[in-house]
Amino acid sequence: MACGFRRSIASQLSRVLDLPPENLIKSISAIPISKKEEVADFQLSVDSLLENNSDLSRPDIQVQAKRLAEKLKCDTVVSEISTGPRTVNFKINRELLTKAVLQQVIEDGSKYGLKSELFSGLPQRRIVIDFSSPNVAKKFHVGHLRSTLIGNFIANLKEALGHQVTRINYLGDWGMQFGLLGTGFQLFGYEEKLQSNPLQHLFEVYVQINKEAADDKNIAKLAQEFFQRLELGDVQALSLWQRFRDLSVEEYTHVYKRLGIYFDEYSGESFYREKSQEVLKLLDSKGLLQKTMKGTAVVDLSGKGDPSSFCTVMRSDGTSLYATRDLAAAMDRMAKYNFDTMIYVTDKGQKKHFQQVFQILKIMGYNWAERCLHVPFGVVQGMKTRRGEVTFLEDVLNEIRLRMLQNMASIKTSKRLEDPQQTAERVGLAALIIQDFRGLLVSDYQFSWDRIFQSRGDTGVFLQYTHARLHSLEETFGCGYLNDFNTACLQEPQSVSILQHLLRFDEIIYRTSQDLQPRHIVSYLLTLSHLAAVAHKTLQIKDSPPEVAAARLQLFKAVRSVLVNGMKLLGITPVCKM
C-alpha cells in the first residue's frame, strides 16, 4: 500500500535530511496519473519541506530539489529518482508496485485506504451529526434532500475512520407554524383526508391558512393564541400536534428507508420547549438578556449595543424561538454525549444563525462551543418533475425510478433483473448523489434530468454500470488465483495507470476528512471507472493465456473492491446487474 512505499522513501530522506520519518510522510504524495505520459509514482514537495525546516534556504527551490535528488539512491523499492517543478520524484519498482497494491487491496478489503500511515495516531472521537431535519406536518421537501445526503456521507466517512458517530434528526416540530397549522386544521381540516393521505392534506391546509392570513389579521392572532396554548401545555392543542408529528415521522421513515439512511435519534425542537425557558433564565442570570421596546428579549453579541448584532431569543409574548431551542439542544447534547465535535448540516442561509448560536454559547462560558461546526450547502435549482415544480422528495424518488426503468428498458445490453424497480432506484439514487456531490457543497447548482441519466461521462449511472460490468467479469471467469498471480503479466500502461491510481485512495480519503467535501472521492471514482473502461477494452481475459487472464482478473477485482469502498462512503449501494 502507498503508506509502505511512503515510509520507505521517508526513511531514506530522513537519513539525508536528519529529520524524523514521521515529519516527512505527509510531504510525500502519490502523483495523479496523466493521459499524455507515464509519470513517477510519488513526489516530495520541496516547498513543504522548507516550511518545516528553516535550515533549508528558500531562494532557488529547483536547485535544492536537484541537490537533494543527487544525495538519494535507488534501492529495492525505488527504481528511479528524478526532479520535477519544485519536487523530487520517485518511481517504484514495477513488479513490487503491482504485488504490493493488489495484495493490500485484497487483505484490507473494506478497510483499504483507511489503515494508511496518514491516519496513524488519529484519536478516536465522539461525533454528533445533526442533519436532514425536515419540518413536521409538511411533506419532505427537496430542500432537505441535500442535508440528508451530505449528513449521511459525513457520518459514513467519520465511522469509516473509526469515530463513534451519533446521527441525529432534529425535526422542525415546534414553532409559530404550528399555531398556523393548528388553527388551519380547525378551520379547514378533514379527518378522512388526514387518515388517507396525512401529509398531503396537512400541506394543503397549511397553504390555505397562509393565504387566509395574508388577508385576515385575525388569523395571525388565532395562530399566536394556538401556539401559546401549545407552549403552556394545553392538552387538546398538544394532542392535535402529537398526531401531526406521529403521522409525519411515519412517512419520513419510509422515505429514509428508500434512501438507505438511518438515524440513532429522532429529536426535535419540541423536546426543548421547557428547557428553552431555562436557557432564558440562565441568560438573564448572567446579565446577557436585554428587553427591547417591543417586549422581545435579545442577546447583544457586539457588547456595544449595536442592533445589527442582536440575536432575538424570546418573543414579546414570552414564547421561545428557533435560536433559543438550538441553544437548549446544544447544551443537552453536550450533557448527554460529551461530544468532541458536533456538526450541523444545513443550507448556507442559516450561516448567520449558527454563528450567533455558537457565539452565545461561548459568552455563556461554554468553551466547547468551539467544537461545534456548521457545514453549509448551496441551493438546488430547477428540480422539476414532468408535472411541474417539485415540492416533495417522494416525487423526486418516484420520478428517478420511473425514468431509470424507461432508460434501462431502452438499452439492448440490459440484463434480465430479479427486481428491476430496486435496481432502477439504486442506479437513480447514485445518479442523484453524484450530481449533488460533484462540486463544492456551498455552491448552488442547476439540476438537470438529462445530464443525471447519461450512461457515459461523469455520472452516477456510469459508476454503477462500471461496477456491474466488473462484477459480471468475476461471475463469468471465476474468482480463483486470489493470492497467486504473476506480476510480470500486469506491466502494460493501462495496468500501471490503474495501480498508480489505486495508490492514491488513502490520500483522497485523508483530504476528504480534512475539508468534508465529497467531490474528491467523486472525482477519484469517476477517473477509476474511466481507467477500468479503457482497460476492459484492451486487457482481454477471454482467450488470454491462463497466467495473464488470472492476473488481469485480479486487477479488475481490485478496481471493483475500491469502487465499492468509495461508493459506500458516498451513500451509494452498488448494483451487480443493470
Side-chain angles (χ1 to χ4, degrees), residues 224-378:
Q224 203 169 354
E225 285 169 5
F226 190 94
F227 183 55
Q228 262 184 307
R229 282 167 57 205
L230 276 175
E231 288 247 310
L232 293 167
D234 178 83
V235 176
Q236 199 178 358
L238 276 174
S239 169
L240 190 59
W241 166 84
Q242 189 68 50
R243 277 197 72 202
F244 296 165
R245 188 184 195 279
D246 291 346
L247 289 165
S248 298
V249 170
E250 199 177 313
E251 187 146 325
Y252 298 149
T253 307
H254 170 67
V255 174
Y256 292 129
K257 195 174 177 185
R258 286 182 72 176
L259 288 167
I261 288 170
Y262 72 92
F263 292 90
D264 299 301
E265 180 185 305
Y266 277 87
S267 175
E269 293 180 63
S270 63
F271 286 49
Y272 300 105
R273 62 182 191 269
E274 288 170 15
K275 286 185 178 172
S276 61
Q277 295 303 318
E278 291 168 27
V279 168
L280 292 170
K281 284 177 191 168
L282 195 56
L283 285 165
D284 200 23
S285 70
K286 289 176 183 282
L288 298 170
L289 207 61
Q290 296 180 21
K291 283 279 177 77
T292 66
M293 299 283 282
K294 294 176 183 174
T296 60
V298 300
V299 175
D300 176 12
L301 295 170
S302 69
K304 298 170 188 170
D306 175 9
S308 68
S309 296
F310 287 179
C311 177
T312 308
V313 290
M314 187 185 79
R315 289 192 181 86
S316 56
D317 62 4
T319 56
S320 63
L321 281 127
Y322 185 43
T324 334
R325 297 189 286 273
D326 264 358
L327 289 166
M331 289 156 68
D332 182 57
R333 287 170 191 174
M334 189 62 204
K336 189 172 178 180
Y337 297 110
N338 191 25
F339 55 77
D340 296 298
T341 307
M342 178 156 64
I343 299 169
Y344 295 86
V345 185
T346 73
D347 69 83
K348 61 186 177 185
Q350 294 192 48
K351 186 178 175 183
K352 186 181 178 184
H353 164 77
F354 283 107
Q355 283 173 342
Q356 291 185 328
V357 167
F358 300 161
Q359 206 176 333
I360 292 172
L361 288 167
K362 219 175 276 185
I363 60 176
M364 286 174 83
Y366 298 120
N367 293 333
W368 50 261
E370 290 173 4
R371 300 184 223 161
C372 298
L373 172 70
H374 176 222
V375 175
F377 56 83

Side-chain angles (χ1 to χ4, degrees), residues 52 77 374 441 450:
N52 300 328
V77 174
H374 176 222
L441 293 180
D450 292 335

